[in-house]
């Protein structure tokens, strides 16, 4: 028996102390994992990491939401949990693609989609056609309404900062239209 003035750790044997240390380490790892990692931006990082390639998403027959974001963007980080929830709810019916504007790899897409503010969302139908754009932070309810409209193939809801995207004519069509408008008009002339 231990003397009455001794502390608990000295009364434990080496094996018991090792078991307690192992249990404490497992509890710490479990707490960190349940909280989503060590960083507050963990949902944004998870979404970006599991995001499919843009070309694959646009060709797989499902509607797609593309989010242009940056790690330092507070609005992007605040939207991330709702985006992650949408991605889980719509998995297999809709793709969520994240493209970091600070990554030079995505510069052609940043230019192509005229990204001038983040977060910027680009919406594509199941055929890969652009159907809308949203600039600025969105609430979870707004994101759910937008994703539901994409999945249901219905018009995007009317929200401030959300607009439809119209297709631009290809270069041959644009050249023909310009040539026709510049050509002199044939037809009856009035002489007056």
């Amino acid at each position: 028996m231990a003397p009455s003035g001794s502390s608990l750790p000295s009364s434990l044997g080496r094996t018991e102390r090792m078991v307690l240390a192992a249990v404490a380490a497992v509890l710490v790892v479990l707490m960190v994992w349940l909280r989503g990692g060590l960083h507050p931006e963990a949902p944004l990082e998870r979404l970006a990491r599991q995001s499919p390639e843009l070309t694959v998403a646009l060709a797989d027959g499902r509607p797609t939401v593309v989010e242009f974001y940056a790690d330092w963007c507070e609005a992007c980080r605040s939207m991330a949990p709702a985006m992650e929830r949408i991605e889980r709810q719509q998995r297999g019916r809709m793709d969520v693609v994240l493209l970091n504007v600070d990554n030079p790899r995505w510069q052609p897409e940043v230019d192509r989609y005229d990204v001038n503010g983040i977060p910027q969302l680009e919406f594509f139908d199941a055929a890969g056609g652009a159907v809308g754009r949203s600039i600025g932070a969105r609430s979870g309810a707004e994101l759910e309404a937008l994703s539901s409209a994409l999945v249901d193939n219905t018009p995007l809801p009317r929200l401030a900062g959300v607009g439809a995207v119209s297709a631009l004519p290809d270069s041959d069509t644009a050249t023909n239209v310009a040539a026709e408008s510049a050509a002199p008009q044939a037809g009856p002339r009035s002489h007056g």
Side-chain angles (χ1 to χ4, degrees):
M1 230 171 145
S4 61
S6 70
S7 64
L8 184 59
S10 64
S11 66
L12 295 176
R14 181 175 180 195
T15 304
E16 288 89 358
R17 283 185 288 202
M18 290 176 68
V19 167
L20 280 175
V23 168
V26 167
L27 288 174
V28 167
V29 168
L30 183 62
M31 283 180 22
V32 168
W33 179 74
L34 288 174
R35 292 187 68 217
L38 296 174
H39 307 289
E41 65 273 11
L44 186 62
E45 291 172 354
R46 270 195 306 273
L47 270 172
R49 212 175 26 253
Q50 69 191 24
S51 165
E53 288 291 323
L54 179 59
T55 54
V56 170
L58 293 178
D60 68 7
R62 292 190 290 254
T64 302
V65 175
V66 177
E67 179 182 350
F68 289 93
Y69 78 99
D71 294 327
W72 48 264
C73 170
E74 288 296 323
C76 303
R77 291 195 321 212
S78 69
M79 239 173 51
M83 286 292 287
E84 189 175 41
R85 187 173 53 255
I86 298 287
E87 190 279 331
R88 270 194 318 270
Q89 290 170 348
Q90 301 293 359
R91 189 171 291 149
R93 293 181 289 185
M94 182 183 84
D95 293 313
V96 176
V97 176
L98 271 70
L99 302 178
N100 189 331
V101 298
D102 291 329
N103 184 337
R105 174 182 179 196
W106 304 121
Q107 191 59 49
E109 286 77 10
V110 167
D111 293 341
R112 179 176 185 192
Y113 296 106
D114 195 28
V115 178
N116 55 20
I118 53 173
Q120 179 170 315
L121 303 175
E122 296 287 331
F123 304 106
F124 298 89
D125 61 19
V131 295
R133 171 179 292 165
S134 167
I135 299 175
R138 293 280 156 213
S139 70
E142 290 171 326
L143 290 170
E144 286 183 31
L146 290 162
S147 66
S148 292
L150 279 177
V151 169
D152 296 340
N153 197 27
T154 58
L156 295 177
R158 293 180 179 256
L159 300 169
V162 173
V165 177
S166 60
L168 295 176
D170 63 25
S171 60
D172 292 338
T173 304
T175 303
N176 290 341
V177 169
E180 288 173 10
S181 64
Q185 299 294 319
R189 293 186 190 190
S190 68
H191 293 25

